[in-house]
């Protein structure tokens, strides 16, 4: 009967191989603890695709088997990988957020926004934000390592939405470092930012501020001038130049 149907559909040539292999997707699943046990195979596979895309990983990130091997050779039911067990907790969390918490949003606008894996993960297995990631490297291994990390992440993820590569991220970090008394880190982060945003006037202005804080008048002056050359409306830069020039070219007032 089945053969006949396949022949009618013109799929006879595919039939022997398809029948010989373990089927993927299987007709039923043996180890579902969160998803409905009777979930349609299509729906399950779409859910799994959402996991993989949301985290920027392949099936083998959570399932036992060799990367690149045919899907029917993976042991999907096994819970050996920690990541699969974490994913279950995440799945429960997401269901809870959507069903319980968000249901309580007052006057919730429609259509509702549904939280998915990608909402937090943005294509990363560990959804740490860029400033937090760089902050950890900075604290552990210093400025050069943080700059290397920034370059590598930018090279790999720019445009993907995984990280916020706008100036703001480095500028904010630089200001926090300077406020915490680590002015050299601040300067390094701003120089890195200037490299990737050569048109920015704000970054050289802030660099000027940090050099000034350090007492490096020559570098401060050069930075304020650079800022003005990029953006002639930066009145604060003009004022600082006047202050510095005034202080160096005029005799002190009585
Ligand atoms: C981020 C981790 C993760 C990724 C990536 C992932 N899965 Fe899963 N998968 C799970 C979890 C968790 C379950 C169990 C869900 C439950 O208990 O309700 C599961 C269950 C399954 C099952 C059912 C197994 C059974 O018999 O109980 C299949 C089949 C499956 N996944 C296929 C895939 C495929 C195909 C991919 C790649 C497109 C994939 N998964 C990617 C986490 C993942
Ligand atoms: C509310 C934000 C949020 C959502 C939504 C979310 N996650 Fe996560 N996920 C996290 C955070 C934060 C971590 C890191 C936790 C830690 O280890 O500190 C994480 C970690 C993980 C990890 C472990 C990564 C590793 O290598 O340690 C997996 C796997 C994972 N999430 C899967 C999922 C899946 C699958 C979904 C969708 C069902 C999902 N997450 C939805 C925030 C989220």
């Amino acid at each position: 009967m089945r053969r006949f149907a396949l022949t009618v559909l013109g799929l006879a040539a595919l039939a022997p191989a398809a029948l010989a292999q373990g089927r993927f997707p299987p007709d039923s699943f043996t180890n579902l603890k969160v998803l409905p046990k009777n979930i349609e195979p299509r729906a399950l596979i779409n859910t799994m695709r959402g996991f993989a895309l949301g985290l920027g990983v392949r099936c083998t990130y959570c399932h036992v088997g060799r990367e690149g091997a045919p899907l029917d050779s993976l042991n999907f039911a096994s819970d050996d990988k920690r990541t699969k067990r974490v994913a279950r907790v995440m799945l429960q969390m997401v269901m809870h957020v959507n069903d319980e918490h968000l249901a309580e949003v007052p006057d919730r606008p429609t259509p509702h926004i549904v939280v998915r894996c990608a909402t937090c993960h943005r294509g990363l297995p560990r959804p740490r934000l860029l400033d937090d990631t760089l902050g950890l490297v900075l604290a552990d291994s210093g400025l050069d390592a943080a700059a290397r990390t920034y370059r590598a992440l930018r090279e790999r993820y720019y445009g993907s939405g995984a990280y916020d590569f706008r100036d703001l991220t480095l500028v904010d970090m630089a200001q926090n470092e300077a406020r915490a008394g680590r002015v050299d880190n601040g300067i390094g982060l701003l120089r890195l930012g200037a490299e990737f945003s050569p048109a920015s006037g704000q970054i050289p202005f802030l660099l000027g501020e940090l050099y000034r804080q350090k007492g490096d008048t020559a570098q401060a002056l050069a930075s304020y001038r650079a800022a003005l050359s990029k953006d002639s409306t930066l009145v604060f830069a003009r004022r600082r130049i006047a202050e510095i020039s005034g202080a160096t070219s005029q005799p002190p007032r009585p």
Side-chain angles (χ1 to χ4, degrees), residues 5 40 65 77 86 123 127 136 210 219:
E40 286 286 326
V86 176
L136 282 177
L210 296 198
Q219 288 276 23

Side-chain angles (χ1 to χ4, degrees), residues 137-252:
V137 181
L138 191 58
D140 282 358
S141 316
L143 183 62
D144 289 348
R148 274 197 301 279
T149 301
Y150 180 83
R151 288 177 201 286
L153 292 177
R154 194 175 168 113
E155 176 78 28
R156 170 149 183 213
Y157 292 105
Y158 191 88
S160 76
Y163 293 109
D164 183 350
F165 289 112
R166 287 174 304 165
D167 293 354
L168 201 67
T169 308
L170 289 176
V171 165
D172 250 25
M173 279 188 77
Q175 287 181 311
N176 288 336
E177 285 297 298
R179 267 195 289 272
R182 297 181 292 270
V183 179
D184 286 332
N185 279 353
I187 289 174
L189 291 167
L190 288 175
R191 294 182 83 96
L192 185 65
E195 187 184 321
F196 288 100
S197 300
S200 166
Q202 189 209 13
I203 295 179
F205 172 71
L206 292 173
L207 258 176
E209 294 291 273
L210 296 198
Y211 281 124
R212 181 171 162 275
Q213 191 174 329
K214 253 187 94 168
D216 188 338
T217 313
Q219 288 276 23
L221 194 57
S223 300
Y224 292 132
R225 290 206 169 112
L228 264 186
S229 77
K230 319 245 179 216
D231 180 353
S232 60
T233 68
L234 284 171
V235 285
F236 291 111
R238 207 178 291 284
R239 197 172 299 161
R240 289 293 197 217
I241 293 171
E243 278 170 22
I244 294 173
S245 317
T248 50
S249 63
Q250 283 163 23

Side-chain angles (χ1 to χ4, degrees), residues 51 55 61-62 82-84 86-88 90-94 97 115-121 125-128:
F51 288 7
L55 275 67
Y61 182 71
C62 296
R82 172 190 162 267
T83 42
K84 183 182 176 191
V86 176
R88 260 200 200 108
M90 294 281 154
L91 191 56
Q92 274 162 328
M93 173 184 73
V94 168
V97 166
V115 170
R116 305 189 263 142
C117 312
T119 307
C120 293
H121 280 268
R126 309 211 73 231
R128 194 176 267 123

Side-chain angles (χ1 to χ4, degrees), residues 48-68:
M48 294 300 145
R49 286 233 176 84
F51 288 7
L53 269 173
L55 275 67
V57 298
R58 316 296 288 267
C59 311
T60 48
Y61 182 71
C62 296
H63 293 293
V64 174
R66 196 169 46 79
E67 171 61 43

Side-chain angles (χ1 to χ4, degrees), residues 24 29-31 33-35 48 59 62-63 76 84 88:
F24 183 85
F29 308 111
T30 56
N31 191 22
K33 295 182 172 153
V34 182
L35 294 170
M48 294 300 145
C59 311
C62 296
H63 293 293
F76 290 110
K84 183 182 176 191
R88 260 200 200 108

Side-chain angles (χ1 to χ4, degrees), residues 5-133:
L6 289 171
T7 312
V8 168
L9 292 169
L11 297 171
L14 285 176
L19 292 174
Q21 285 172 4
R23 281 172 56 93
F24 183 85
D27 293 323
S28 61
F29 308 111
T30 56
N31 191 22
L32 296 183
K33 295 182 172 153
V34 182
L35 294 170
K37 296 201 191 307
N38 60 351
I39 188 171
E40 286 286 326
R42 240 331 83 211
L44 179 112
I45 298 307
N46 282 341
T47 305
M48 294 300 145
R49 286 233 176 84
F51 288 7
L53 269 173
L55 275 67
V57 298
R58 316 296 288 267
C59 311
T60 48
Y61 182 71
C62 296
H63 293 293
V64 174
R66 196 169 46 79
E67 171 61 43
L71 284 181
D72 59 14
S73 75
L74 302 193
N75 184 353
F76 290 110
S78 164
D79 284 346
D80 282 0
K81 288 206 173 169
R82 172 190 162 267
T83 42
K84 183 182 176 191
R85 288 177 272 130
V86 176
R88 260 200 200 108
V89 175
M90 294 281 154
L91 191 56
Q92 274 162 328
M93 173 184 73
V94 168
M95 288 160 75
H96 196 267
V97 166
N98 285 316
D99 299 347
E100 315 282 329
H101 278 93
L102 293 179
E104 289 175 18
V105 170
D107 300 327
R108 192 172 179 196
T110 50
H112 294 167
I113 298 175
V114 176
V115 170
R116 305 189 263 142
C117 312
T119 307
C120 293
H121 280 268
R122 312 174 316 278
L124 300 171
R126 309 211 73 231
R128 194 176 267 123
L129 295 171
L130 184 57
D131 50 353
D132 293 338
T133 302

